[in-house]
Amino acid sequence: MAVVAVAVVALWQGRRLGPVVAERLPVVVRAAETVEGRGRLYRARRARTQAAEALRGGALDRLTPRLGLGAQPRADEVVAALAARTGLEAGHLGTALYGAPPADDAGLVALAGYLDEIERQVREH
């Protein structure tokens, strides 16, 4: 009886380890809804540090290819390239991209706006 039970459990567990089956999602979720949902989660947990890191990381991921920098550029290289391309002050750029996390929600919104402005200027030049 024990051998039969072990065999049944082995078959049952072995069936789970089969290949991953890709299936279509039943609904389409817009990117904006995903971003808003993630933002609400960050706000509910008062996770300004993680939200700032996500904003900065996303901005850097979009900016470095446009600036012609390598895969892992140093912070000073990014700031110098941005200052040359946009004409913005290097100190402000460095603080926005690599500075301390904002102290409050208003600072986080201001950071997001400034990063958006930087990206807009890089796209236009």
Side-chain angles (χ1 to χ4, degrees), residues 74-93:
R74 293 190 329 262
D76 59 335
E77 293 174 336
V78 173
V79 171
L82 280 172
R85 181 95 171 248
T86 63
L88 296 172
E89 186 179 328
H92 291 299
L93 291 169

Side-chain angles (χ1 to χ4, degrees), residues 30-103:
R30 293 185 350 225
E33 290 178 15
T34 304
V35 170
E36 288 173 5
R38 180 177 275 186
R40 282 193 292 273
L41 288 171
Y42 283 145
R43 185 173 187 192
R45 297 289 171 225
R46 292 180 175 80
R48 287 184 207 94
T49 302
Q50 291 84 356
E53 287 174 6
L55 289 170
R56 289 172 171 156
L60 286 169
D61 288 346
R62 291 183 295 274
L63 287 170
T64 51
R66 288 184 179 269
L67 296 170
L69 300 174
Q72 297 290 334
R74 293 190 329 262
D76 59 335
E77 293 174 336
V78 173
V79 171
L82 280 172
R85 181 95 171 248
T86 63
L88 296 172
E89 186 179 328
H92 291 299
L93 291 169
T95 300
L97 291 170
Y98 301 103

Side-chain angles (χ1 to χ4, degrees), residues 8-30:
V8 169
V9 170
L11 288 173
W12 176 50
Q13 292 294 326
R15 192 173 52 105
R16 289 171 139 192
L17 300 177
V20 176
V21 177
E23 59 182 275
R24 295 175 49 94
L25 293 175
V27 295
V28 175
V29 179
R30 293 185 350 225

